[in-house]
Amino acid sequence: TFDATTNSILLFGGRDNDTNALRFDLDDNGLSGLEPGSPPVSIYNAVAHTVPNMPLSFIANPVNGGGVQMLSHITGTPTWTQHTNAPNDMSGPNSMGNIGPQIWVADRSGVMFFFDPATDLWLDTRLGAPPGTQMVLDAGAGVAIALAQAGSEVQVWRLLEQP
């Protein structure tokens, strides 16, 4: 995930259930090393999103046997927080973004789930993407875009827009 406040790319976890995060500094064009502290759990096949203009990243981490853990990390600090797990019907994280103060996580079936960091709760609201959705993207400024396959045609759908 890209952290604009530090102009760096953060890489969380890895292929071996890592419990670390790396920072790649774009100003110095090099690996800055490990982020301070360690995630409270191993991270594997997760997706991440850094809130614009804040050094705060959220990580949706699938759990072996089902479920998705929500974590957050403040860039450059040892602060890691484990939040309330996602609802059981989430099929696994595919992408993330935010609309206003809420974090959205799209699962592999294209359904978007919403997390409120202020209350540490997942909202009952769900947003289903169009049939054939392959990926949901955060286009910035509170806009989410779905890419869907309809026969031989690729469709682009605007799903959310922050007022």
Side-chain angles (χ1 to χ4, degrees):
T1 184
F2 176 67
D3 183 345
T5 61
T6 60
N7 199 31
S8 59
I9 296 173
L10 301 171
L11 305 173
F12 297 104
R15 296 178 183 244
D16 297 322
N17 289 322
D18 289 338
T19 54
N20 63 32
L22 300 172
R23 186 181 338 171
F24 184 83
D25 187 334
L26 296 176
D27 292 329
D28 294 336
N29 210 18
L31 188 63
S32 301
L34 292 174
E35 272 291 287
S38 294
V41 297
S42 297
I43 299 175
Y44 178 73
N45 274 343
V47 295
H49 173 70
T50 301
V51 178
N53 303 315
M54 294 181 70
L56 178 63
S57 297
F58 286 88
I59 301 102
N61 185 40
V63 179
N64 285 338
V68 175
Q69 298 167 321
M70 180 65 91
L71 309 168
S72 64
H73 172 65
I74 300 173
T75 305
T77 74
T79 304
W80 289 86
T81 304
Q82 188 166 353
H83 298 281
T84 304
N85 286 355
N88 289 334
D89 57 337
M90 183 184 286
S91 66
N94 181 295
S95 56
M96 295 178 75
N98 71 287
I99 182 160
Q102 296 172 351
I103 304 297
W104 59 261
V105 179
D107 72 4
R108 291 188 183 114
S109 67
V111 175
M112 297 174 75
F113 295 75
F114 296 88
F115 176 74
D116 183 352
T119 61
D120 196 36
L121 294 174
W122 290 86
L123 306 180
D124 291 334
T125 304
R126 305 272 192 285
L127 178 63
T133 294
Q134 303 295 308
M135 178 174 277
V136 179
L137 306 168
D138 183 359
V143 176
I145 304 291
L147 300 178
Q149 184 78 36
S152 62
E153 180 180 272
V154 174
Q155 298 176 337
V156 179
W157 295 76
R158 182 181 220 140
L159 300 179
L160 297 172
E161 186 165 2
Q162 184 174 339

